[in-house]
Amino acid sequence: MAFGAEELRVLRRALALALHPCPVSAEDVQDCLRLAESLDEAAYEGARLRAFLLADLARYRAALPGTAAGYLALLEEVLVSGYRPNPDDLAALGALRGNPVAAVLLERCRGLAEQDVRARLAGRAIASVPPSRTRLLALPGGRAAEEPDRRSEPKPQPQPPVRSPRPDRPIPTPGEVFPPRRKPGPPPADPPQQLAAG
């Protein structure tokens, strides 16, 4: 994610305020809020792109071996973004072992899978997505000042569920609602044809 000159100015000002709290102008607060919204939007778009790439990767993997070149290129792209290969990826790469690119990717994915297993055994789960950033709402005069402190408000008592009264008449059975079909009777006999008077 790249910042422009104006965004860097706002970010530098927000960091300075976080380190050395002092009165903040309304303009600074608005700039920080706009920057936070821009970062949220960029993170949302990044997550959408990642979901699209992973869905594309699954489609390419399902169509192997005919889509080997596209699958390998996509897998390399998502690995750079922090994707952790799953057993399907390892099986697909094992089947494509004759391809030199697939062989290199297989070794790389095996190494990542081993790291995940070691981390799980050590009790440290490796996050595949970077942790969400902290919102810049704690500035003096920011949005946090506008919102009331909800922790001091008493929590409403849960209401017991309301039971519907028993119906006066019993619930009909499916046989009553949908009566059995009657077998059709024999077709009516054709009326005798009258002979035309000659």
Side-chain angles (χ1 to χ4, degrees):
M1 186 183 300
F3 289 105
E6 183 63 20
E7 291 168 328
L8 282 174
R9 182 192 67 77
V10 174
L11 185 60
R12 191 178 299 120
R13 177 79 177 124
L15 291 173
L17 288 170
L19 292 172
H20 306 289
C22 64
V24 185
S25 70
E27 184 182 349
D28 281 341
V29 170
Q30 290 305 315
D31 287 344
C32 288
L33 291 176
R34 273 194 294 274
L35 178 62
E37 286 169 5
S38 298
L39 288 171
D40 281 342
E41 189 176 335
Y44 174 72
E45 287 302 317
R48 279 186 60 215
L49 176 62
R50 180 183 169 80
F52 174 77
L53 285 175
L54 294 182
D56 227 11
L57 182 71
R59 280 194 293 273
Y60 274 80
R61 187 174 53 230
L64 286 173
T67 56
Y71 171 71
L72 296 173
L74 263 176
L75 183 59
E76 272 188 302
E77 188 175 344
V78 295
L79 285 174
V80 169
S81 71
Y83 172 73
R84 310 305 274 190
N86 60 31
D88 292 337
D89 292 315
L90 295 173
L93 290 171
L96 298 171
R97 213 175 332 201
N99 183 319
V101 177
V104 170
L105 275 174
L106 179 59
E107 288 306 310
R108 182 175 170 190
C109 290
R110 278 183 179 157
L112 290 171
E114 286 173 14
Q115 284 176 7
D116 285 352
V117 170
R118 278 195 220 105
R120 243 179 266 122
L121 291 175
R124 294 178 290 109
I126 293 179
S128 59
V129 179
S132 63
R133 62 176 184 75
T134 304
R135 296 280 313 251
L136 300 173
L137 298 180
L139 294 174
R143 233 185 244 165
E146 300 168 8
E147 297 174 358
D149 187 8
R150 304 212 182 277
R151 289 174 291 182
S152 60
E153 294 179 7
K155 291 184 179 178
Q157 295 296 328
Q159 298 291 333
V162 179
R163 290 189 177 185
S164 58
R166 281 187 77 190
D168 295 338
R169 55 189 190 140
I171 298 173
T173 64
E176 293 170 337
V177 176
F178 305 105
R181 292 186 181 180
R182 300 186 191 279
K183 292 183 180 174
D190 291 337
Q193 295 180 352
Q194 295 181 353
L195 295 173

